[in-house]
Amino acid sequence: MTRHATTPIDGQKPGTSGLRKKTKVFMEPGYLENFVQATFDAIGGIAGKTLVLGGDGRYFGAQAAATICKMAAANGAARLIVGQGAWLSTPAASHLIRKRGADGGLILSASHNPGGPDADFGVKYNMANGGPAPESVTSAIYARTQEITEYHILDAADPDLQSVGETRLGETALEVIDPVSDYADMMESIFDFKALKTVFQSGFRMRMDSMCAITGPYAVEILERRLGAPSGTVSHETPLPDFGGMHPDPNPTWAHELMTEMMGSGAPDFGAASDGDGDRNMVVGAGIYVSPSDSLAVLAANAHLVPGYSAGLKGVARSMPTSAAVDRVAAEMGLDCYETPTGWKFFGNLMDAGRVSLCGEESFGTGSDHVREKDGLWAVLMWLNILAVRKMSVTEVMADHWARFGRNYYSRHDYEALPTEQAEAMLADLRGKLGTLKSQTFEGLTVESSDEFSYEDPVDGAISKGQGFRILFEGGSRVVLRLSGTGTEGATLRVYLERYAAGPDGLDLDPQDALAPIILAAEEIVGIRARTERIGPDVIT
C-alpha cells in the first residue's frame, strides 16, 4: 500500500445520483482518488467489507474500476465483486448487493448523460440495501472531500477484470462475475416467461432499443435467448464507450429512431428503450407514446396480473413532479400513496419498511421492491406480461385505463445549460411571490395553492427542504418547477405541466394542445422565455 498526500478539490458534492462531472475532470490527477477515498472514509472505512463494483461501460469506466479496485484493496476490503469488463447495469448492481449480502457498492455511470472523452462520467455509492446513499451519507462524503489529506492505493498492476473467476489483489479477494446471469434469473422468477414465450411464438413483434448502452446484453439474453423473440429484436445492443455518439436518454427526442419506427406504417406491436446504465425506460405502442407517469399508473392498476405481484401491492409512491395519475389508481384500489422528492433514495426507506411495492418518477424511471433502484428492463417485462394476460394492444390498454380513471395530461419542458445564476434568480423571484398567488387567475386558471415542496420521511423523520416549486390550480391542474441535479454544466430548469380530464369527453387530445393554457400560465407567472430569451424548451417529453 502507498499513501498519497493530497489536498481537497472543490466541487465534489454528490447530487441526486452521485457525483457527475465531465469525463476529463474525473481523469485529472487525484480527482477520482480523492472522491473514492472520501467515500470510503465517510462510511466508516471498508476494512473487512465486501463491495460490488461495475458500471455502464462508458469511456474511462474500465480505467476507473481498476483504480477503485486497487484503492479498495489498500483500504482493507475483504472482497470485491466486479462485473466482467467492469460492466453492471444499475439495477443489476443493486440486485447483486442484496443477493450477496454486500456492504455496499460503487456504480460508475452518469446514467442517461452522453459518454466519451468530451462527455460525462459519474460515481455513485449504494448502501447495503442496494439503494443509493441517503442524504446523510452523501453529505458526509462531501464534508470529507473538503478536508481529505491522503488517499490509499495498492502499488500493483491493474487487475484483470475481463476473466471470470476469483483472484487475489493484495489481501483482497477479487471476484469477477458474469454481469447478466444473476439479473436474468431474477427476472425469470418474477414474470411468467412461459406466457411470454407463447406471445412471441404467436408472431408478436417488438423493438427494444438499447441505445448502445448497458442493457443490450441483458435484453438480448432475456428477450431473444430466454423468451425466443426473433434475433434483431434488440437494436443498438452492443455497449460502446461513447454510446455510438448517441445521447442514451430514452425519451421521444433522443430515441428518435424507435419513435419513427413505432409511429410509422407496419410498426411492431410494442417498443421500448433504456438508458446508459439501464435504470430508465420508455414504452411505446404502435402509433402511441406512453408517458412515464401513465406507465406507472397502468402498472399499478395491473400489477396483480404478474406472478411476482399476484398477492397485490403494499402501496405505491411517486416523486413529487410525477403526475397524480397513480394517485387515482391507489385511491380506487385502497392503496397508500406517497409523494416524495426526486431521487430514488427516498423510495428506499419506504420499500425497506414494507410500505410500498411499486414506485416511479416522471423522468422515465419505474421500479419495485425487487431491487432498490429503478429498473428499465423490469418495466418493459411488466408491460409485456400485462399485454400477454390482457390480450390487448398498448392503445387498447391506455384507452381502457383513461376511461376508468380519467386522464392526467402531462409533459415536461427542459431548459438546458442555463447560466446557473440566471436560473437560481428566476426561482428566487418565484419563491418571493408564492404567498401572493392564491386566488389569482392566469389564462383562465385560478391558483388554488402554491408552495416550495418539503418532505418529512415517514420512516425515519428526515426532512428534505427546497425540493421544487408547486403551483396548483383549481380542478387538478398544476405546474412544478425545479432545477435538475443530474447535469454536469450550467443549470437545467425542468418545468412539469399537468392537466386532469375526468372524461368521458376530452380524453384523446394531443398533450401539448391540452396543456396549452397551463404552458401560457407558467410563462405569465415565471417568465422563463422572456428572461432567458429562449424561444422554447430544449427538450419536450
Side-chain angles (χ1 to χ4, degrees), residues 43 108 156 163 202 217 252 258 284 424:
I43 61 173
L108 309 179
S163 302
S202 73
L258 176 67
V284 195
E424 290 178 345

Side-chain angles (χ1 to χ4, degrees), residues 290-532:
V290 181
S291 78
S293 294
D294 276 342
S295 179
L296 175 63
V298 168
L299 297 187
N302 294 276
H304 63 282
L305 303 177
V306 177
Y309 309 93
S310 59
L313 301 175
K314 301 168 187 173
V316 296
R318 63 168 174 86
S319 65
M320 182 272 287
T322 302
S323 94
V326 74
D327 302 43
R328 303 184 188 282
V329 174
E332 181 169 316
M333 299 180 71
L335 297 171
D336 288 336
C337 183
Y338 298 87
E339 183 181 37
T340 75
T342 295
W344 210 258
K345 54 196 172 187
F346 294 103
F347 296 137
N349 269 4
L350 296 171
M351 290 188 284
D352 287 345
R355 296 194 181 202
V356 303
S357 305
L358 181 71
C359 42
E361 297 179 334
E362 55 71 37
S363 54
F364 297 84
T366 325
S368 85
D369 54 1
H370 69 289
V371 290
R372 294 297 183 269
E373 290 277 6
K374 46 188 176 280
D375 190 344
L377 271 179
W378 169 89
V380 170
L381 291 167
M382 282 287 285
W383 265 95
L384 287 174
N385 207 149
I386 291 165
L387 294 176
V389 174
R390 297 194 65 179
K391 296 180 171 55
M392 299 169 73
S393 69
V394 175
T395 297
E396 291 168 335
V397 167
M398 292 312 307
D400 179 73
H401 185 87
W402 291 328
R404 180 180 175 187
F405 297 102
R407 183 173 183 181
N408 288 70
Y409 286 100
Y410 186 83
S411 185
R412 189 182 88 194
H413 290 192
D414 289 357
Y415 294 83
E416 298 181 334
L418 295 174
T420 301
E421 298 80 5
Q422 183 184 63
E424 290 178 345
M426 273 193 296
L427 294 186
D429 289 347
L430 175 59
R431 181 182 291 111
K433 67 169 69 169
L434 285 176
T436 69
L437 294 177
K438 183 177 175 61
S439 299
Q440 288 195 51
T441 299
F442 304 90
E443 299 296 325
L445 298 164
T446 301
V447 176
E448 183 176 83
S449 64
S450 57
D451 65 7
E452 187 169 8
F453 183 58
S454 179
Y455 177 71
E456 181 176 354
D457 193 301
V459 178
D460 62 16
I463 295 176
S464 301
K465 298 181 178 180
Q467 296 296 318
F469 296 86
R470 301 185 296 184
I471 303 170
L472 282 68
F473 301 102
E474 294 177 357
S477 299
R478 67 174 186 159
V479 176
V480 172
L481 302 96
R482 61 180 289 273
L483 294 181
S484 171
T486 60
T488 59
E489 60 181 345
T492 294
L493 177 63
R494 303 201 194 281
V495 183
Y496 310 86
L497 307 141
E498 182 172 2
R499 176 186 173 191
Y500 178 65
D505 298 322
L507 298 178
D508 57 354
L509 303 177
D510 176 272
Q512 299 306 314
D513 291 340
L515 292 166
I518 314 296
I519 295 169
L520 292 173
E523 179 62 23
E524 188 175 347
I525 294 170
V526 186
I528 302 168
R529 299 186 188 190
R531 295 180 64 163
T532 64

Side-chain angles (χ1 to χ4, degrees), residues 39-57:
T39 299
F40 291 162
D41 293 347
I43 61 173
I46 60 168
K49 294 182 179 179
T50 295
L51 298 180
V52 167
L53 174 64
D56 59 14

Side-chain angles (χ1 to χ4, degrees), residues 4 161 195 331:
H4 290 255
L161 301 181

